[in-house]
Amino acid sequence: AQSVAQPEDQVNVAEGNPLTVKCTYSVSGNPYLFWYVQYPNRGLQFLLKYITGDNLVKGSYGFEAEFNKSQTSFHLKKPSALVSDSALYFCAVRDIQNNNAGNMLTFGGGTRLMVKP
Amino acid sequence: NAGVTQTPKFQVLKTGQSMTLQCAQDMNHNSMYWYRQDPGMGLRLIYYSASEGTTDKGEVPNGYNVSRLNKREFSLRLESAAPSQTSVYFCASSPRRDGAYNEQFFGPGTRLTVL
């Protein structure tokens, strides 16, 4: 079975400061990992993904995430937060060993990021 | 290029009523999905269709049915709505049936309230 946890319901950060949104996962094999962002009254938008290779993945809007296999984590980071980054962030995982034909992802519960001016 | 579209945007039903949520994508994607989003629970997969002509249950299929009408369209039906089905419903698609690492593209959602 595959699962993902986002331990923080909300993260507050001041504009200009670095931000981190945490994600840990559980899979039986190797993971494919994703981050999505949801702005109010909108669908989810893809930010970045880790498939293989470099543990530091760069994505849209200046976000990056670091894959740490030993800690089973995939934390989302940004060096300098913007007020416009305020949104709901979701981590998602798929176990490479999971032989489901439909590319099914398991999503975390979401973390609300609040960036204050 | 509209991406993934969903209708309606909002719907209020009474317990026991039925309705169909429509979803269409114009990206020639093979796989399509229906999720529900509830506060603090993230997105949970209801049904998915890996390719045209196939559908499979996800994590929370009870009370729902789906139809993959053609490659573009994937509908979700509530035969007898219950208050527990009050939620925001999202449709998504992804390019390839075997593209495990393909990201999913989401529609804007349907906010459903069952009284």
Side-chain angles (χ1 to χ4, degrees):
Chain A
Q2 56 194 41
S3 65
V4 61
Q6 295 180 242
E8 302 155 317
D9 290 335
Q10 182 161 316
V11 170
N12 298 309
V13 65
E15 188 173 33
N17 283 1
L19 70 87
T20 298
V21 182
K22 295 180 180 178
C23 171
T24 58
Y25 66 89
S26 175
V27 294
S28 56
N30 291 313
Y32 293 138
L33 293 156
F34 300 79
W35 275 102
Y36 287 82
V37 60
Q38 184 181 30
Y39 298 102
N41 301 312
R42 302 285 296 274
L44 276 69
Q45 297 176 30
F46 169 76
L47 272 181
L48 51 81
K49 64 184 177 185
Y50 171 81
I51 303 301
T52 187
D54 194 346
N55 288 343
L56 185 63
V57 178
K58 294 187 183 298
S60 307
Y61 313 121
F63 284 93
E64 58 189 27
E66 186 168 12
F67 171 63
N68 188 318
K69 188 170 185 177
S70 63
Q71 297 186 3
T72 61
S73 67
F74 189 56
H75 300 331
L76 181 70
K77 300 181 180 184
K78 188 174 182 181
S80 178
L82 299 172
V83 172
S84 58
D85 292 330
S86 298
L88 192 56
Y89 290 81
F90 291 95
C91 182
V93 68
R94 178 186 167 166
D95 187 343
I96 296 173
Q97 312 305 119
N98 189 347
N99 188 25
N100 70 74
N103 186 23
M104 287 197 296
L105 297 176
T106 298
F107 285 83
T111 298
R112 186 166 301 282
L113 175 65
M114 299 289 291
V115 182
K116 298 182 180 179
Chain B
N1 193 338
V4 180
T5 57
Q6 293 182 236
T7 56
K9 286 186 168 49
F10 302 94
Q11 185 71 49
V12 179
L13 294 177
K14 295 180 180 178
T15 297
Q17 288 185 316
S18 62
M19 78 161 296
T20 299
L21 281 64
Q22 306 287 353
C23 173
Q25 52 88 13
D26 62 2
M27 298 174 283
N28 201 36
H29 286 175
N30 283 293
S31 299
M32 298 185 74
Y33 314 82
W34 276 106
Y35 293 92
R36 59 178 290 172
Q37 183 181 26
D38 302 293
M41 302 187 73
L43 275 74
R44 292 182 293 169
L45 185 65
I46 304 171
Y47 271 93
Y48 69 99
S49 171
S51 60
E52 186 179 358
T54 68
T55 61
D56 285 285
K57 295 179 180 179
E59 182 184 355
V60 287
N62 291 345
Y64 305 94
N65 284 299
V66 291
S67 295
R68 183 75 183 265
L69 303 171
N70 47 56
K71 192 171 185 178
R72 289 187 64 248
E73 298 172 290
F74 188 39
S75 63
L76 178 71
R77 183 160 178 84
L78 287 70
E79 290 291 351
S80 179
S84 60
Q85 294 178 304
T86 293
S87 188
V88 182
Y89 291 86
F90 288 100
C91 178
S93 69
S94 68
R96 288 169 50 182
R97 183 179 185 276
D98 60 349
Y101 49 84
N102 291 151
E103 59 265 33
Q104 295 181 13
F105 296 77
F106 284 80
T110 295
R111 189 173 296 274
L112 175 67
T113 301
V114 183
L115 302 175

